[in-house]
Amino acid sequence: MSQITRRDFIKASAASVAAGGLIGVPHIAKAAGSAGKVVVVGGGAGGAIAAKYIRMMDSSIEVTLIEKNPDYHTCFLSNEVLSGERTLDSIRFTYEGLKGHGVKVVQAEATGIDADKKVVKTSAGDFPYDRAVVSPGVSLKYDTIEGYDEAAAEKVPHAWKAGSQTAILRKQLEEMKDGGLVVIAAPPNPFRCPPGPYERASQIAHYLKNNKPKSKILIMDAKGKFSKQGLFTQGWKDLYGYGTDNSIIEWRPVSEEGKATGVNAATRTLISGELDTETKADVLNVIPAQTAGKIAFAAGLTDDSGWCPVNKKTFESTLVGDVHVIGDASIATKMPKSGYSANSQGKVCATAVVAALQGKDMITPSYVNTCYSIVGEDYGISVAAVYRLSEDGKTIAGVKGAGGLTPTTATAAARKREVTYAYSWFKNITHDMFG
Amino acid sequence: MPHKTIGTALLLAGGLVLSSTSAFAADPTMLGNTCAGCHGTNGSSVGPATPSIAGLTEDTIVEAMKAYKSGERPSTIMGRIAKGYTDEEFKAMGQFFSKQKMVIYPQSTDAAKAKKGAKLHDKYCEKCHEDGGTVDDEGTSILAGQWMPYLTFSMEDFNAGTREMPKKMKRKLEKMLDKEGQAGLDSLINFYGSQAK
Ligand SMILES: Cc1cc2nc3c(=O)[nH]c(=O)nc-3n(C[C@H](O)[C@H](O)[C@H](O)COP(=O)(O)OP(=O)(O)OC[C@H]3O[C@@H](n4cnc5c(N)ncnc54)[C@H](O)[C@@H]3O)c2cc1C
């Protein structure tokens, strides 16, 4: 009740500002008590950050986080779980830290948003909001690959959401005989973590090289090129004999029947390309095409592309007012779908939400993305970018002359440093989310 | 560009300066928050290698960013990042991090080495890295509680000549190395890593 009254009050004040040119609404709005209610859907790379930073910026705002799982497994560094370099437990995080910041954490599944009543509908009831933030990640388009579905993924894992899927794939790799064939079907653009499938191939190659050296990896790709391709190729040459007859890794682009079209889970056979080429694998990892998380569709936040259009300055949905979308699900133009992007967007969005609730103008946003990949022992590479909002407000554009890749001429010592910096990145970004 | 100038002039004439600066100026918190994914929340890194930057002075941050941007200071990634910003933004970042207090997380150190390092520090380094390296005075950065791998990398770069070392520091360091060798440096780094204050 008091919420609504206060909001109307802010609206009225805002109108009077527009008319009279007064500054100083925030003061008046704050004097009215709690600055409002925010409901965040999804406690991952984007949502955990938005929830925590809203509280850090204004602790009078009530923040409720709706997350369907009791804990969170990061996709980041999950490829090291596949190679046995780290445990599954080392990528698991709980929500206790967020509770410490005064975030109310509710374990429930969000099923929809009633934008008129301003409530998030969940399996644990309705949660009213002044502003909602939605960061549900991706959903997998199983139906783009014949014979593939959630049940088949128990035998033919995607491992594109970390947790039990990661454990299944690791177990299969451990059980595979030396001389086996691992097939990774890489998805079409756009998808979560563009370098991910290739880092995965690298990590699995690292494991095979040391444990099952007669084995091979075949990447069947729906694309003709991929992220950090030059650097990965160089790394594969340096470490895994890429390009020679003895290469552990082979890559088949779309032009060579690379695009997965079907799966026979029982026999672990991949069907691909225009000729329905069949490839029988010992371990089959199929990463299907992706689209925004299911709740984004239910809440009317997606457009024809299957992703969520947003105001690039505030991440407010252009389709549903007072609801913001961040992370993989959002259309953030030049920013890739990565954990660092989601983190950066979460903070820009938190700033916008707090400004809106305080009746202030949103300030100039600033965004960063970085993505480290560990190609093998002491072999780290990275891509970085600094972004600004374009003048027309339509694009989050990389600053020209900045960012880019680890130089191909980097010394072995520098690549080794990048591994320790990649681990630091992991520790700091997860601490930023959950600490 | 001319477009912008006219816009500003009009705003000035209209007396709307206040709202225009607040909307367009580089905001310290907005910029500082983008660094946290690597440097830790509010600039205190939980390690194991990326340095904490909380509590450095505004000048230290600005000078470091400029040196990364120009390539004068070697880096694995900071050069690529620093190229994305203006001097005004460096200042704003400096303002943000200079106001944060560095949180020191424990590192495993060798107590005997740390003890030896404390003595070497007093003899060779304290003059500039005051109070046991806890203060960032005259652009020296904070050494106490900094992540040891990072300090090791910094010393490697200094010694390789890829990062320019202050002349007087070079002299002191050479003296120390003459007498104590690499083990001396190792002790110093253990000393800095062992400080929890
Ligand atoms: C193998 C792999 C490696 C990767 N490596 C990196 C890397 O090195 N660096 C990097 O920056 N990025 C990396 N990524 C990408 C990164 O994981 C994602 O981009 C990031 O997690 C996106 O954040 P998000 O908030 O959009 O979604 P998520 O982090 O997936 O969070 C979504 C959360 O919402 C919850 N949820 C969804 N729907 C509902 C609902 N209806 N109700 C309640 N809760 C719901 C989910 O349970 C989940 O916890 C990697 C990804 C993969 C697959």
Side-chain angles (χ1 to χ4, degrees), chain A residues 12-26 28 359 361, chain B residues 14-20:
Chain A
S13 319
S16 81
V17 169
L22 252 164
I23 304 176
V25 200
I28 305 168
D361 283 339
Chain B
L16 275 165
V17 192
L18 225 154
S19 63
S20 83

Side-chain angles (χ1 to χ4, degrees), chain A residues 20-366:
Chain A
L22 252 164
I23 304 176
V25 200
H27 225 80
I28 305 168
K30 273 226 158 147
S34 147
K37 272 196 169 77
V38 177
V39 176
V40 179
V41 175
I49 286 293
K52 173 170 161 179
Y53 274 74
I54 289 171
R55 293 283 307 162
M56 278 167 57
M57 290 171 190
D58 184 343
S59 59
S60 69
I61 297 174
E62 267 179 54
V63 178
T64 306
L65 174 67
I66 311 290
E67 165 58 50
K68 63 182 172 196
N69 293 321
D71 49 17
Y72 181 82
H73 284 93
T74 61
C75 285
F76 3 120
L77 287 189
S78 66
N79 287 329
E80 276 205 345
V81 176
L82 300 179
S83 60
E85 291 291 311
R86 65 175 55 235
T87 61
L88 189 60
D89 206 47
S90 74
I91 59 167
R92 188 182 79 90
F93 297 87
T94 72
Y95 291 97
E96 292 310 309
L98 283 178
K99 290 178 192 163
H101 288 277
V103 175
K104 286 183 195 138
V105 182
V106 178
Q107 195 192 331
E109 177 157 7
T111 50
I113 292 178
D114 185 333
D116 293 332
K117 294 207 185 101
K118 300 190 80 167
V119 293
V120 172
K121 302 191 151 304
T122 84
S123 55
D126 291 356
F127 291 83
Y129 64 83
D130 294 310
R131 292 267 166 173
V133 178
V134 179
S135 189
V138 295
S139 54
L140 303 171
K141 292 167 83 170
Y142 288 111
D143 59 0
T144 58
I145 295 175
E146 217 182 307
Y148 202 39
D149 56 22
E150 216 164 301
E154 296 290 307
K155 182 107 197 269
V156 175
H158 51 75
W160 219 239
K161 297 191 179 186
S164 59
Q165 277 282 307
T166 316
I168 294 171
L169 185 53
R170 169 65 188 158
K171 186 155 178 281
Q172 292 185 358
L173 288 165
E174 278 184 290
E175 285 169 0
M176 187 181 80
K177 63 177 191 291
D178 190 8
L181 176 68
V182 179
V183 174
I184 301 173
N189 291 322
F191 65 101
R192 149 179 291 186
C193 196
Y198 315 96
E199 185 196 50
R200 171 167 294 175
S202 309
Q203 280 295 321
I204 295 176
H206 172 64
Y207 168 70
L208 297 178
K209 183 181 172 179
N210 292 328
N211 296 282
K212 292 164 188 172
K214 290 194 286 245
S215 314
K216 301 259 183 252
I217 300 165
L218 181 60
I219 307 170
M220 300 294 275
D221 210 325
K223 304 178 291 302
K225 55 181 187 190
F226 59 85
S227 168
K228 302 187 197 168
Q229 187 163 358
L231 282 172
F232 275 115
T233 309
Q234 184 187 20
W236 294 345
K237 281 182 183 153
D238 288 348
L239 301 170
Y240 309 121
Y242 190 66
T244 70
D245 287 348
N246 280 328
S247 179
I248 301 179
I249 300 174
E250 197 185 319
W251 175 67
R252 294 257 173 88
V254 59
S255 60
E256 293 172 35
E257 295 284 290
K259 187 179 163 67
T261 55
V263 154
N264 182 336
T267 59
R268 292 207 176 95
T269 303
L270 184 78
I271 299 137
S272 69
E274 301 189 344
L275 307 173
D276 290 339
T277 299
E278 294 194 5
T279 312
K280 191 168 166 355
D282 294 289
V283 173
L284 179 54
N285 169 216
V286 175
I287 308 162
Q290 291 149 43
T291 190
K294 208 166 103 193
I295 175 71
F297 287 87
L301 295 164
T302 50
D303 67 12
D304 291 345
S305 70
W307 303 98
C308 306
V310 292
N311 174 322
K312 308 293 183 286
K313 187 175 182 180
T314 60
F315 289 92
E316 183 172 359
S317 167
T318 56
L319 302 175
V320 183
D322 296 340
V323 178
H324 300 243
V325 186
I326 53 175
D328 290 350
S330 70
I331 301 174
T333 51
K334 302 292 180 197
M335 294 184 88
K337 299 188 186 304
S338 79
Y340 209 112
S341 291
N343 176 289
S344 189
Q345 292 161 9
K347 291 165 185 176
V348 170
C349 174
T351 309
V353 165
V354 171
L357 292 175
Q358 294 180 347
K360 288 186 189 164
D361 283 339
M362 173 57 179
I363 56 175
T364 305
S366 178

Side-chain angles (χ1 to χ4, degrees), chain A residues 400-418:
Chain A
K400 289 217 170 67
L405 301 159
T406 301
T408 46
T409 52
T411 61
R415 285 197 218 103
K416 188 172 174 180
R417 281 189 194 179
E418 287 222 277

Side-chain angles (χ1 to χ4, degrees), chain B residues 92-165:
Chain B
M93 293 164 189
Q95 279 165 20
F96 179 78
F97 290 108
S98 64
K99 291 202 182 90
Q100 311 298 324
K101 201 171 152 25
M102 180 170 147
V103 181
I104 296 178
Y105 296 93
Q107 304 183 59
S108 65
T109 51
D110 180 317
K113 283 183 186 169
K115 203 171 155 204
K116 166 99 184 164
K119 288 210 184 89
L120 295 178
H121 174 83
D122 281 344
K123 189 161 173 203
Y124 297 101
C125 321
E126 171 69 22
K127 191 156 176 281
C128 303
H129 298 282
E130 291 171 17
D131 289 339
T134 54
V135 284
D136 179 15
D137 200 20
E138 316 265 335
T140 56
S141 282
I142 296 173
L143 304 183
Q146 187 57 281
W147 290 99
M148 293 184 345
Y150 170 73
L151 292 175
T152 307
F153 297 155
S154 290
M155 292 313 300
E156 279 172 12
D157 293 344
F158 281 142
N159 286 326
T162 51
R163 177 173 169 191
E164 204 188 341
M165 195 172 354

